[in-house]
Amino acid sequence: MKSSFGSLSQTAKKILVIFKNDLSVILPGELVWPQEEQLGDYVRTGRDSTEVVSYVNITSVRPEDGGLYECEASNDVGKATHSARVNVFGPPFVRSMSNLSVVAGETLRLQCPVGGHPIETIKWEKDGVRLPLNHRQKVFQNGTLLVRNVEKMSDSGPYKCSASNADGITAENTLHIKVIVKPLIEPFTFPKSLQTGQRFSVLCTITEGDPPIRIQWIKDSLQSFLASAHDGVRSVVVTPFSTTLVFESLAPEHRGNYTCVASNAAGTMSHTAPMNMLGLLGTADFRTSIKTFQGLRNQHVENSMTCVKGWGKKGGGEKRVGWGGFGLHYVIKQIVRTWNSQLSEA
């Protein structure tokens, strides 16, 4: 922003007031005057220039036209803003304010949209009691109300802003604040004793959060795993705040990281837990175990990998192969027992 407009005091009468703002932006972009919630008129200062001049025009100025005006210039790269107050002599006036929703734990900032000049006092009330009420609330002289770490029980409700002048003339207006709460998931885990062929279910419960709440399961970052070829797995809605993931018969392909995701208007939360099963030996696990037995016929073991891929059972086991040579079946037996022992201790 190259140059900007300054504060202005103006007597209310039938005149034309023009606010001018000189900006340096990269077009295409957009110039907005949030006070009037409208696009500003703007022109380039030259054919190849990136400088833009924006105007917002007000005719027949009234006291309610006074207030804080802001120009915002934005494009795909970013945005720049500048604001200044315009005072129009006359009785106090408080413009209407839109109701707001704020997420619990965040900071609420309200600006009282006051017109008229001069203004003696600006105050905020909630439920008929003047603010601030506690250390989380602060009211500034310019009419800004700040509420930190918003709470649903104490901070929801109607807020009234009033402005008065020295003659005792008062204007006021009200808005309603709705505090919404993000979902909170009760942590869940998978037992370490799971085995193939067992039935199992895990429950995801949302202990906090405003409805409606959407709950979904994700496996290994795959959102659509329930709709794919994972037979024997289904999601069952227990209540509007809980969902169960049911496994009809555990299989090796069910291993992985399972995430419960809960979302509502306030935001999204998730919890992830890993599922492992005893007695499962995959290719990656087998290679890792092989490294612990370096020097014991490594070449033969590597060649035998396809013979034992995915094979194993709780408590150890052995599988003889015809080409392993001396001690090969012993090596495989020790690998499987070691791996199962590690799973039992995990």
Side-chain angles (χ1 to χ4, degrees), residues 255 279-287 289-290 300-313 317-324 328-336 339:
R255 290 188 305 169
L280 289 180
L281 195 61
T283 302
D285 303 328
F286 187 67
R287 288 186 184 276
S289 298
I290 288 175
H300 291 292
V301 174
E302 288 288 327
N303 291 339
S304 305
M305 187 168 300
T306 56
C307 189
V308 296
K309 178 180 178 182
W311 169 81
K313 62 182 180 179
E318 56 181 280
K319 185 175 183 67
R320 296 180 180 274
V321 292
W323 62 88
L328 177 58
H329 75 279
Y330 172 79
V331 172
I332 297 176
K333 175 179 177 181
Q334 295 303 316
I335 290 174
V336 175
W339 177 246

Side-chain angles (χ1 to χ4, degrees), residues 260-305:
C260 178
V261 181
S263 57
N264 64 2
T268 300
M269 299 295 286
S270 65
H271 175 75
T272 301
M275 175 201 278
N276 290 308
M277 278 174 268
L278 293 176
L280 289 180
L281 195 61
T283 302
D285 303 328
F286 187 67
R287 288 186 184 276
T288 301
S289 298
I290 288 175
K291 293 180 181 179
T292 65
F293 292 90
Q294 290 181 356
L296 296 176
R297 304 300 298 269
N298 288 339
Q299 184 60 45
H300 291 292
V301 174
E302 288 288 327
N303 291 339
S304 305
M305 187 168 300

Side-chain angles (χ1 to χ4, degrees), residues 17-33:
V17 177
I18 301 177
F19 301 107
K20 174 184 176 182
N21 213 48
D22 297 334
L23 311 102
S24 293
V25 298
I26 302 175
L27 294 178
E30 187 175 75
L31 300 174
V32 180
W33 293 79

Side-chain angles (χ1 to χ4, degrees), residues 9 13 34 43 54 64 104 109 135 166 179 184 200 216 219 231 238 244 249 254 265 276 324 329 334 346:
S9 293
K13 56 184 179 180
V43 295
S54 176
E64 51 263 41
R109 181 186 295 270
H135 68 281
V179 179
L184 179 63
F200 184 72
Q216 67 175 141
K219 178 180 183 289
D231 296 335
V238 181
T244 297
S249 178
H254 292 151
N276 290 308
H329 75 279
Q334 295 303 316

